Amino acid sequence: MIRSVCGDISKEKLGVTMCHEHFIVDLSIVRKDGESKIETVEEVVPEIKKMMDLGAQSAIEVTTNDMYRDVKKLKEISEITKLNIVAATGFYLSEYHPEWLTDASAEQIADVMVKDLTEGIDGSDIKAGVIGEIASSKDSFVGQEKKVLIASAIAHTRTGAAVTTHTGKATAIETIETLLSNGVEPDKIVIGHQDLVDDTEYHLSLLKYGVNIGFDTCGKISYQSDEVRAMNIKKLIDAGYGDHIMLSNDISRRTYFTSYGKFGYTAVLERVVPLLKEYGCSQEDINKLLIDNPARIFNNDRW
């Protein structure tokens, strides 16, 4: 089953899925830019509808406990749009962490995640369906980040929920090996933001562990062109790893919206998928990325 904010659904109902999105989020508490927030249902629904008009049916919403997650608003968005939304539990980068994490054990942190996954979030009956996005800083693990990662592994072993991450090149191998050594099944690991790295050999070094990777910042062309993203996906498919890649847009600022002249939540379906077809990917290849892989990875037979 897939645990959505409106209740559990069969994996067959997930359909075309964005694997790493934010619909209600506030990162401005650290960034101090006044832009890194999406606060209201009213502002995000029109943007989501544009994604759905292109064929999207579901999204994994990876706003963590310390990024101003609001599952009641997520449920309202899902009810209005009919998009299946999977909410998350976890903790982000060190600078966002609540003070109590400093003295908490990994087991105590895992207890919070497990409660979110099995009982409900913030006193509601709305449950998380994924652990993440569990973060590490750019060059290394900082503060309580490694402890949170271990806690996510503990929560996985207790619930079966997938773990999805915010990971750069410097910490990717350490992240994978830490999760594996603490009992996480490799196919329930998603190493996020790997489309920001233009290095196929590096991608293959991660995939050989049996994990999955996210090409999940599509449309953010100031970091990487979508042409490079699509070509790297094609190389990995040709190498036999089409079963271990997922796609998304990762919109964490309202200034990424189409109303600001950017691509919003549409980049995967309006830009990257046509490029994949142009580069020779079949519809079967694309269905794996958008439908089959999310359904397999985020499905949990223990719900």
Side-chain angles (χ1 to χ4, degrees):
M1 300 296 285
I2 304 292
R3 181 147 286 174
S4 85
V5 294
C6 291
D8 293 354
I9 61 174
S10 69
K11 64 181 181 180
E12 289 79 16
K13 292 185 178 180
L14 204 60
V16 173
T17 302
M18 301 296 108
C19 75
H20 187 113
E21 295 298 345
H22 301 281
F23 298 143
I24 300 293
V25 64
D26 188 355
L27 301 180
S28 65
I29 52 174
V30 170
R31 292 178 179 175
K32 308 295 185 186
D33 59 5
E35 301 174 354
S36 297
K37 61 171 68 175
I38 306 169
E39 297 177 283
T40 69
V41 172
E42 291 74 19
E43 67 183 315
V44 75
V45 161
E47 297 289 328
I48 291 172
K49 285 182 175 179
K50 290 178 182 179
M51 173 182 75
M52 295 182 72
D53 287 343
L54 295 167
Q57 297 166 282
S58 301
I60 312 303
E61 212 279 4
V62 294
T63 302
T64 52
N65 305 39
D66 49 356
M67 296 162 72
Y68 284 77
R69 176 192 59 184
D70 190 326
V71 292
K72 292 181 180 178
K73 289 182 180 179
L74 293 183
K75 184 176 182 181
E76 185 179 353
I77 291 166
S78 182
E79 289 173 339
I80 292 169
T81 63
K82 307 308 178 186
L83 183 79
N84 299 311
I85 299 174
V86 176
T89 183
F91 298 91
Y92 189 47
L93 292 163
S94 177
E95 56 262 44
Y96 294 87
H97 286 173
E99 291 185 7
W100 69 266
L101 288 185
T102 302
D103 296 323
S105 67
E107 286 282 357
Q108 289 170 325
I109 299 168
D111 287 342
V112 172
M113 298 180 189
V114 171
K115 184 176 181 180
D116 284 353
L117 290 158
T118 61
E119 297 181 28
I121 295 169
D122 298 334
S124 76
D125 62 354
I126 303 168
K127 300 170 186 175
V130 67
I131 301 165
E133 59 180 299
I134 305 301
S136 52
S137 294
K138 182 179 179 181
D139 298 317
S140 64
F141 286 88
V142 174
Q144 311 308 311
E145 290 170 355
K146 177 61 80 67
K147 183 167 62 177
V148 169
L149 183 66
I150 294 169
S152 72
I154 296 169
H156 162 83
T157 62
R158 290 168 59 183
T159 65
V163 180
T164 187
T165 74
H166 168 105
T167 306
K169 189 173 184 179
T171 58
I173 295 295
E174 187 175 357
T175 295
I176 292 169
E177 292 185 346
T178 298
L179 290 172
L180 293 176
S181 66
N182 283 278
V184 183
E185 299 174 39
D187 195 41
K188 294 301 181 183
I189 297 171
V190 182
I191 304 300
H193 308 329
Q194 295 309 299
D195 54 327
L196 297 175
V197 182
D198 181 15
D199 184 343
T200 301
E201 290 306 311
Y202 158 74
H203 292 145
L204 291 171
S205 74
L206 306 186
L207 289 164
K208 287 174 181 176
Y209 283 92
V211 304
N212 308 285
I213 62 175
F215 274 58
D216 53 21
T217 65
C218 295
K220 295 184 177 181
I221 57 177
S222 61
Y223 298 115
Q224 185 76 271
S225 76
D226 285 333
E227 288 78 8
V228 168
R229 289 184 173 96
M231 185 54 68
N232 285 335
I233 292 168
K234 177 63 164 59
K235 291 176 183 177
L236 295 174
I237 289 172
D238 289 346
Y241 288 99
D243 291 330
H244 293 277
I245 304 165
M246 291 187 295
L247 307 179
S248 210
N249 307 282
D250 188 24
I251 303 306
S252 59
R253 306 172 192 258
R254 60 165 63 99
T255 49
Y256 286 135
F257 284 177
T258 60
S259 58
Y260 283 80
K262 300 297 176 62
F263 306 120
Y265 302 104
T266 70
V268 166
L269 296 173
E270 196 164 52
R271 292 172 56 82
V272 174
V273 167
L275 284 167
L276 291 172
K277 292 178 179 178
E278 180 182 333
Y279 297 159
C281 292
S282 67
Q283 189 61 51
E284 181 182 2
D285 293 329
I286 293 165
N287 287 348
K288 285 182 180 180
L289 307 179
L290 294 175
I291 301 172
D292 301 341
N293 296 347
R296 184 190 78 247
I297 295 161
F298 297 111
N299 181 58
N300 189 349
D301 292 332
R302 292 166 62 180
W303 292 141

